[in-house]
Amino acid sequence: MRTALRAYLWSQTCGILERMPIKKVNTEVLALLRCPICQSELHEDALALVCENNHSFDRSKLGYVTLLSGDAIQNTADNLDMVFCRQRFHTRNYYKPFAQKLADEVAAVVPSTGAIVADIGAGTGYYSAVLTRAIPGIEIVDFDLSKRALQRAVQLSSVITAIVADTWAGLPVKDEAFDALINVFAPRNAEDFARIVKPGGYVFVSTPTPKHLLEIREAAHLIRIGRQDSDKKADLREKMIPYFDLVKTETIEFPLAFDERSVYDLVMMGPNAYHTDGDELLHVIGELQRPIEATFSVDLHTYRKQI
């Protein structure tokens, strides 16, 4: 019943958006895109992006563009329920101190005007939106495999362009397209990151430390929020170091106090949703001591592309 209601509300929202004019792709961003099938340049017609070999990609009235090859697999993308949970969680701004810190770090290294930044695995666009407020004149391209998530991201700012794309297949953009790139709790393709970032450009990657949300994970064994491997930092460095120099790693920590709904959303907005029973989760959360306290603990890694 809960899923059916969400689907109905979503359909009503989409019905309103479908009557809106199709959003055109920003000229500067369009010049950076390329066909995911033949890698040739794309141009825009009334309804689609088209390359010289007549590969065509629809521009949705909901604001995103799908640039996937025909054999792309989307079964790992965030579904409707996950998107609702993610948007609800971020609306409460629990992670705002981290988002602001990330925005400040990006603002310190990109041009004050005309910067173009990629957000890889952008989801519903929470971190991109914070960047738009911190850096006037910025253009941001959000990449994600979930069109459901990107439909929400483009509603946050007119300077966010949303592209449905597969990180592992190589992103559909030209070489050395971006001044900087952010990657927050999302898949990382270091080789492709190196291809699309300008020489001397910056990549900001966040990874959870073993302390991240530990109190909740220990209190309720059912709740598993991402991998907390102690070797995560070393694994990231091994993948990045052939292409980037590590500038610094800074640990951002602060206390959190959740309500029951937020803990549910936190678990169900990510891959845990695929193997967690929602009713059982609510029962487990109900047994937790109040207030439901936890520690945000994330490493923010700053890399600079080798020149």
Side-chain angles (χ1 to χ4, degrees):
M1 180 66 70
R2 188 163 51 235
T3 299
L5 177 60
R6 289 174 181 171
Y8 170 76
L9 292 173
W10 182 265
S11 69
Q12 298 306 299
T13 301
C14 290
I16 295 171
L17 292 172
E18 285 286 3
R19 293 191 290 272
M20 297 173 61
I22 295 179
K23 179 182 177 181
K24 296 183 72 65
V25 178
N26 176 282
T27 303
E28 288 77 15
V29 173
L30 180 61
L32 302 178
L33 301 178
R34 69 181 187 182
C35 175
I37 299 172
C38 65
Q39 285 73 56
S40 59
E41 293 188 1
L42 294 166
H43 65 272
E44 195 167 26
D45 65 18
L47 299 174
L49 300 185
V50 183
C51 77
E52 61 184 15
N53 294 313
N54 291 321
H55 299 128
S56 181
F57 306 93
D58 290 343
R59 290 187 293 118
S60 169
K61 289 183 179 179
L62 301 178
Y64 64 87
V65 178
T66 298
L67 293 181
L68 293 170
S69 60
D71 57 354
I73 299 174
Q74 288 187 273
N75 59 5
T76 60
D78 289 357
N79 61 33
L80 184 62
D81 280 348
M82 293 163 69
V83 168
F84 273 121
C85 288
R86 186 178 300 277
Q87 185 174 36
R88 244 192 332 257
F89 181 82
H90 282 312
T91 297
R92 298 181 176 98
N93 279 319
Y94 288 114
Y95 289 178
K96 185 176 180 179
F98 170 72
Q100 190 58 58
K101 171 65 175 177
L102 173 62
D104 291 344
E105 294 292 328
V106 175
V109 299
V110 300
S112 57
T113 58
I116 302 181
V117 176
D119 185 350
I120 312 300
T124 54
Y126 177 72
Y127 298 100
S128 292
V130 176
L131 258 65
T132 65
R133 294 189 289 270
I135 313 172
I138 194 175
E139 289 285 344
I140 300 184
V141 185
D142 280 8
F143 295 94
D144 202 281
L145 198 55
S146 172
K147 66 180 182 180
R148 298 287 195 186
L150 292 178
Q151 286 165 3
R152 295 303 177 102
V154 294
Q155 296 176 46
L156 299 178
S157 173
S158 62
V159 299
I160 293 177
T161 299
I163 306 293
V164 180
D166 184 355
T167 300
W168 296 116
L171 295 170
V173 296
K174 298 176 181 178
D175 296 352
E176 301 179 0
F178 298 106
D179 297 288
L181 177 157
I182 65 171
N183 178 254
V184 183
F185 310 133
R188 298 177 293 275
N189 184 341
E191 183 177 0
D192 203 49
F193 289 0
R195 181 185 65 80
I196 66 176
V197 172
K198 296 176 181 178
Y202 287 81
V203 171
F204 299 88
V205 180
S206 68
T207 57
T209 77
K211 292 172 60 178
H212 185 55
L213 306 176
L214 180 63
E215 300 89 342
I216 293 177
R217 291 186 289 110
E218 286 188 339
H221 300 297
L222 185 85
I223 302 174
R224 308 278 303 183
I225 305 172
R227 292 168 53 218
Q228 307 292 329
D229 302 341
S230 59
D231 294 333
K232 187 179 288 290
K233 189 184 301 185
D235 180 67
L236 173 64
R237 181 176 296 194
E238 181 181 350
K239 288 181 170 60
M240 298 289 285
I241 211 66
Y243 318 102
F244 300 92
D245 295 320
L246 178 63
V247 177
K248 63 179 178 178
T249 293
E250 185 173 356
T251 301
I252 294 92
E253 287 187 355
F254 49 87
L256 295 166
F258 295 120
D259 59 25
E260 183 173 314
R261 175 83 259 182
S262 296
V263 175
Y264 179 90
D265 288 340
L266 178 62
V267 177
M268 300 300 281
M269 72 185 192
N272 301 279
Y274 290 118
H275 51 78
T276 300
D277 179 88
D279 292 334
E280 182 180 353
L281 175 61
L282 287 172
H283 174 75
V284 173
I285 295 172
E287 299 296 317
L288 297 178
Q289 183 176 351
R290 300 300 194 269
I292 305 173
E293 298 179 338
T295 301
F296 181 98
S297 181
V298 167
D299 285 330
L300 178 59
H301 312 273
T302 302
Y303 285 91
R304 188 168 188 260
K305 183 178 174 182
Q306 298 163 2
I307 299 175

